[in-house]
Amino acid sequence: GDLTRNTPWLSLFFVAFLNLTNVGLRNGAGIYYFKYVVGNEGAISTFNFVGFLCFVAGALVTKFFTARWSRRSLMIVFTLINGAGIAACYWVNPQNLPLLYALNIIASFAAGPTPAIVWSMYADTADFGEWKFGRRATGLIMSATVFVQKVGLAIGSAMIGWLLSYYGFVANAAQSPRVIHGMTLLFSLLPGALAVAAGLVNMLYPLDEPQVKQMERELAARKGAPAGT
């Protein structure tokens, strides 16, 4: 169908899957990491709250970035920074909370602008479909996107149980070095690698700003209306 031929949307489809799998994995693994690796279960609440505030701060300055750089470039850079910040926690001493916080602040701030940017890019893929194939499938694009996000989030959350079981986790007990290492991977390298992969897949997104403007002009001309109306 039109979706499978819409190459810009296909690239964002895989970006959405990788990003939401990362989110599901990272968010669920935090409680295990802080309880058994850091040894301070209560610290996860403050850690997550600070991350949330930095995410909101990043979201609030989205327009500052989009006014200066292309959305495609921003998605690549921000997603790679987010992935690097998450993955770097693997090499941090779990008792070094200030450094864990600093990496979380960087990763969360970098993630902040990405939702608004990527949803505007989805709108461009709808324009691309209409421009290329003569049919607009906005509803299908958005519903398929929400579906793949839910699948990614569910798989990321489920991976926690699968991998903890693989490493031999036993609840409310002293954990072996193997389990501690597994929890550290779940909190850092694995979600970080998924985010970095999403950033790399973003590089396959073929639409740049001049092409988007050209599509808007041509679509407006077909409808007999000025672009931007």
Side-chain angles (χ1 to χ4, degrees):
D2 289 349
L3 275 186
T4 57
R5 295 186 293 163
N6 190 325
T7 49
W9 180 81
L10 279 176
S11 63
L12 293 183
F13 174 91
F14 289 106
V15 167
F17 176 78
L18 291 166
N19 268 332
L20 271 293
T21 305
N22 149 40
V23 170
L25 185 56
R26 167 84 168 183
N27 287 352
I31 186 66
Y32 295 97
Y33 180 80
F34 274 83
K35 181 175 181 177
Y36 295 103
V37 183
V38 175
N40 183 354
E41 185 177 2
I44 184 65
S45 299
T46 308
F47 183 85
N48 284 342
F49 182 66
V50 170
F52 171 73
L53 291 179
C54 293
F55 179 88
V56 171
L60 290 174
V61 295
T62 301
K63 285 188 177 180
F64 171 84
F65 294 110
T66 55
R68 290 161 177 79
W69 296 282
S70 77
R71 291 168 297 158
R72 177 182 178 274
S73 298
L74 289 172
M75 278 298 296
I76 293 168
V77 170
F78 282 140
T79 309
L80 290 176
I81 291 173
N82 174 256
I86 293 170
C89 292
Y90 178 78
W91 291 278
V92 176
N93 184 322
Q95 303 309 314
N96 191 346
L97 285 179
L99 186 51
L100 286 174
Y101 269 81
L103 290 171
N104 188 45
I105 286 168
I106 293 168
S108 299
F109 182 84
T114 59
I117 295 172
V118 78
W119 281 107
S120 72
M121 292 166 72
Y122 283 120
D124 292 341
T125 68
D127 284 346
F128 176 84
E130 183 179 6
W131 175 75
K132 186 81 171 178
F133 309 117
R135 290 184 297 275
R136 190 169 187 87
T138 306
L140 183 59
I141 283 173
M142 297 306 178
S143 59
T145 298
V146 171
F147 173 75
V148 74
Q149 288 178 337
K150 289 181 177 179
V151 170
L153 197 59
I155 289 177
S157 302
M159 283 174 68
I160 298 165
W162 301 334
L163 291 169
L164 285 177
S165 176
Y166 170 76
Y167 282 105
F169 168 71
V170 178
N172 300 315
Q175 304 301 323
S176 68
R178 172 181 165 85
V179 177
I180 294 296
H181 182 242
M183 289 177 176
T184 305
L185 285 173
L186 283 168
F187 181 73
S188 56
L189 273 188
L190 290 179
L194 288 166
V196 168
L200 297 176
V201 173
N202 262 309
M203 295 179 182
L204 302 177
Y205 182 77
L207 298 180
D208 56 20
E209 302 299 337
Q211 185 173 352
V212 169
K213 296 297 183 187
Q214 179 189 345
M215 289 191 311
E216 289 176 353
R217 287 193 299 268
E218 293 186 14
L219 287 172
R222 291 180 197 175
K223 298 171 184 175
T229 61

